[in-house]
Structures are given as structure tokens and as C-alpha cells.
Amino acid sequence: MDDSDEEESNSSDEEAVTDSGGSDWESVSSSVSSSVNSVGNAVATLVLDPHNFYQKLIVALAVGYDKQLTKYVCSMPAMFPYTLSAPNLIDLDLTFSDSLGQNLPTIFPQSLRRINISLENVPFSWDVFCADMESEAIEFNNLVDLSITGVVQVSGANNVMNANDLDLVFPKLERLYLENISLTRKDAQAIMGHGLKRFSYVGSIVAASQLCKQPLRNLDTLILVWVEKQYSEEANDFVPLTNEIFNKTDGIEHVRCEIRSAYYTRSMVGIDWPYLTHLSLGFMISFKELFDMLPKVPNLVFLNVDITKCIDHEFAEATEILTNIKKHYPAPSSSKIKTLRLVDENISLRSNSCCKHTFGGVIENLKWYWPQLKDIKFQEN
């Protein structure tokens, strides 16, 4: 069969399904059965699109061919009349929205290796997964990668619930990504135990500190990203909470902190981050403050500073310090910084002939002050 014959055949099948789209379930199921015969065992991945009106067709495929199904993606209302056993399902991607009335299948979790859940200002319950009849626990026996994202940062909007207080089991979980999510203490203990190697969290400092009360000793990588769009009282606790977290990260090879809100850093005085290795500051900090705080971050090897919002007099002050660094700091630092990024979206506007003349000297001065510095870059984004 050439490509044109195949396209014509596919077009005929599509027309047949479209014609039955407005009829009852039995009619749709009949059309599905005749259409899928040409696909057979090749059915392995199903994607439910918000704009795809073949909902019943896809549900029928999922139910009728669940033993071949390996990947399931759902971001639309899907009316499942049955439990989806799918013994070979390894990849699950679910989106929950308050604008979509979803009736998802109850899913057996034993075969899953990757789960990605997105919450659009709605809570999520583990009850979507079947519990083991004997242990009465939800057992993710093969899960390696778990990601739960709260799309909207609203306090209490993206809670992950365990309505029946069932035990969760994650014996093989290695990578965990949470964004704007709160977990119960019991669920956090279950998820962050065992052999977790990589933990990434995006959200508030308070939520991160609660999660980091769990043992972190088995981690290879810890990434914490703090975002706060408006000022809150928890910003006052920034220093003690971060000190508590970073003083228990001894032995973790890669400890990364990204601070994307100046609300958390009105003062960096008092920080004590002995094991932090990577730091990104998404706001302007004076170089005097920066140099004064770095002795409290002795294992830092990567530093990224965004100076985009630096106003002219602050930029002039920074330039003065960097061009006369030996006057302000007569001896080189013991810092281990190897990579430095200075991000400035306005750098092309600031780079008059004077600034261009000083950049070479600034780089040389920084390499003198940080003897281990090997890679330095000024970039616009």
C-alpha cells in the first residue's frame, strides 16, 4: 500500500468514527472494534487531548486494549466506566483542572515507572490508584520517577490528599519533583524514604523546610527553588530555615539553591550554608554583600547572579568594587567557586566605551580574588 492509499484508508476510518460520534456507547464501541483491528497489538500509547472529541473512542481503546497499553496521558474529561488494569502501563501523565469534571479510571500502580501529575488549582487524592488487597497499601513497586506540579501558586490549593489514610510504598523511587505542593507528614516519609537519589522542590521556604525534615542522607542531588510573588511573613524566617536545611546536607554531591524572589533575601546576614555547591540569585545583590556572605558558603563551586534590575548607581558601585577589588580585599578569597555567571538583560545598554574598557580588568580581578575560578561569563539571558 502506498502513502496515498494509506491516507485514503485512514480518512475513511476517521469518517466512520465521526459519523458515530453522536450516537450511543454501543455504536461507538462497534466502530472502535472495526477500526482498531488494523492496529492490533501496536496500540501502546494513548493521549487524551482537551480538544479531541473522540473521548468515547479513546476510552474504549483504553478498556479494550489495556494489556497492550504502556503510556497514558489524560488532560480532559474522560468518563471511564471501568477500572483500568493495564498490567504493562509504565508511563502515566495526568492533569487535574477545576474546569474539567473528570471521572478517571482507577489505576493499578504496580507496573508504573514514571508518573507526572499536574494540578491546576485543585487537590489530588491518591485514591485514583488501587490499593493492594492484602497489604491495604498503595504499592508503587516499580516507580522510579515521580513529578507533582501545582500550576498555580495558591496557598492550600494544590494539596495532595490521602482520604483513606492508606500507606504508600515506593521501594524503587529515585527521582522526585514537587512544585507548589504540600504533602502530609506520613506521605512525605513514604515518598522520601528508601533509595531516593534526586529531590527537586519549587515553592515556598516553609513547605521546603517541612519536606527536608525527612532524612536526606541517601540523596546525590538536592535542588531547592524558592519563589514568592508577594511578601509574606515566612520571608522573615528565611535565614533560620535555610540554615536548618543546608546544615543537614553533608555528603550530598550536588546541593543547589535558586532564589527567585528578593523578599527572601532582604538580609543575607547570618546565613550558614556549609554544604551548598550551586547558588543562583534571581535578583540584584551588592557585590559587597556577596563577597561578605561567601565565606559562609565554603563549598560553593557555581554562582549565578542576575543583575538585570540593578539601577545605574548600583551598577556604577559594582563596577567600582570590581575594578578596584585589591583595594577592598587585599588577599584572595579561599572560595572554591569555579563558575560565575552574571546575567544582565540590559548589558548592551550599559556597555558604553568606559564599561567595555573595564570588563577585561574585572575578569582578571575576579580570577585573582577567586583563584579556582575557571569559567566566567557575562550574558544577557
Side-chain angles (χ1 to χ4, degrees):
M1 178 185 292
D2 61 25
D3 292 342
S4 61
D5 290 338
E6 185 176 355
E7 289 178 4
E8 183 176 348
S9 174
N10 290 341
S11 176
S12 299
D13 286 343
E14 182 176 347
E15 289 175 1
V17 175
T18 303
D19 289 340
S20 63
S23 59
D24 59 15
W25 175 268
E26 288 75 14
S27 178
V28 174
S29 297
S30 176
S31 297
V32 169
S33 297
S34 61
S35 300
V36 170
N37 285 335
S38 62
V39 182
N41 293 336
V43 178
T45 300
L46 292 180
V47 178
L48 275 63
D49 189 284
H51 305 293
N52 184 351
F53 63 91
Y54 296 125
Q55 297 178 27
K56 291 184 179 179
L57 182 150
I58 297 177
V59 170
L61 282 172
V63 173
Y65 289 84
D66 60 347
K67 289 181 174 58
Q68 290 100 311
L69 192 62
T70 60
K71 181 175 182 178
Y72 177 72
V73 181
C74 178
S75 58
M76 63 173 289
M79 300 305 159
F80 277 85
Y82 312 110
T83 294
L84 185 64
S85 59
N88 296 307
L89 186 65
I90 61 175
D91 198 334
L92 180 66
D93 196 321
L94 300 176
T95 297
F96 294 84
S97 170
D98 57 359
S99 63
L100 301 177
Q102 290 167 305
N103 181 16
L104 291 167
T106 304
I107 298 169
F108 286 91
Q110 284 80 0
S111 63
L112 288 169
R113 297 180 189 172
R114 174 188 171 275
I115 296 176
N116 179 51
I117 297 171
S118 296
L119 307 176
E120 297 183 358
N121 205 20
V122 294
F124 164 75
S125 176
W126 296 106
D127 295 345
V128 71
F129 299 104
C130 287
D132 182 81
M133 296 295 291
E134 294 183 4
S135 66
E136 296 185 350
I138 302 176
E139 299 180 353
F140 298 87
N141 292 330
N142 290 289
L143 193 67
V144 175
D145 199 323
L146 174 62
S147 173
I148 309 178
T149 301
V151 177
V152 182
Q153 187 183 23
V154 178
S155 179
N158 303 311
N159 292 331
V160 177
M161 301 184 300
N162 193 338
N164 296 319
D165 196 31
L166 296 172
D167 291 334
L168 304 177
V169 180
F170 297 88
K172 295 183 179 180
L173 190 64
E174 294 183 1
R175 295 179 292 276
L176 174 64
Y177 176 90
L178 300 176
E179 180 171 350
N180 298 326
I181 292 298
S182 61
L183 297 174
T184 66
R185 180 179 298 180
K186 179 180 177 181
D187 289 354
Q189 289 174 341
I191 293 174
M192 297 185 67
H194 300 289
L196 192 66
K197 298 300 181 185
R198 180 186 180 95
F199 174 45
S200 304
Y201 183 83
V202 180
S204 74
I205 178 62
V206 171
S209 67
Q210 291 299 318
L211 290 166
C212 289
K213 290 184 184 300
Q214 306 305 320
L216 305 175
R217 57 185 174 272
N218 292 324
L219 292 177
D220 293 330
T221 302
L222 174 65
I223 300 175
L224 300 176
V225 181
W226 291 311
V227 182
E228 192 69 35
K229 294 183 178 180
Q230 60 184 11
Y231 180 76
S232 64
E233 290 298 324
E234 68 182 44
N236 297 328
D237 297 323
F238 173 79
V239 170
L241 290 177
T242 54
N243 288 351
E244 180 182 358
I245 293 172
F246 293 129
N247 270 276
K248 59 180 296 187
T249 55
D250 184 18
I252 302 177
E253 182 177 349
H254 185 115
V255 182
R256 185 182 193 96
C257 173
E258 296 183 25
I259 308 172
R260 299 178 184 173
S261 172
Y263 291 122
Y264 281 143
T265 52
R266 293 186 171 184
S267 174
M268 302 292 281
V269 176
I271 67 164
D272 180 22
W273 303 342
Y275 308 114
L276 190 71
T277 61
H278 293 66
L279 176 63
S280 292
L281 301 175
F283 59 92
M284 178 56 193
I285 182 173
S286 75
F287 278 88
K288 183 180 185 310
E289 286 183 283
L290 184 64
F291 290 151
D292 289 347
M293 66 172 274
L294 287 179
K296 299 295 185 180
V297 198
N299 284 295
L300 196 68
V301 296
F302 176 93
L303 176 62
N304 183 94
V305 182
D306 189 337
I307 61 174
T308 297
K309 294 182 179 180
C310 176
I311 58 181
D312 289 344
H313 81 85
E314 291 174 327
F315 188 80
E317 179 183 321
T319 302
E320 192 280 326
I321 291 177
L322 294 176
T323 53
N324 298 284
I325 197 169
K326 293 181 181 180
K327 180 177 73 175
H328 297 283
Y329 301 93
S333 166
S334 60
S335 173
K336 297 179 182 178
I337 293 176
K338 296 179 180 179
T339 302
L340 175 66
R341 296 284 184 269
L342 294 176
V343 180
D344 186 0
E345 293 178 3
N346 304 314
I347 197 168
S348 59
L349 299 177
R350 302 197 221 256
S351 296
N352 54 37
S353 58
C354 177
C355 290
K356 289 179 180 177
H357 177 72
T358 61
F359 273 3
V362 165
I363 292 174
E364 290 304 313
N365 284 343
L366 286 171
K367 287 184 175 180
W368 170 83
Y369 186 64
W370 291 323
Q372 297 192 43
L373 186 62
K374 303 298 182 185
D375 182 14
I376 179 171
K377 186 176 294 184
F378 293 86
Q379 57 192 59
E380 293 194 56
N381 52 52

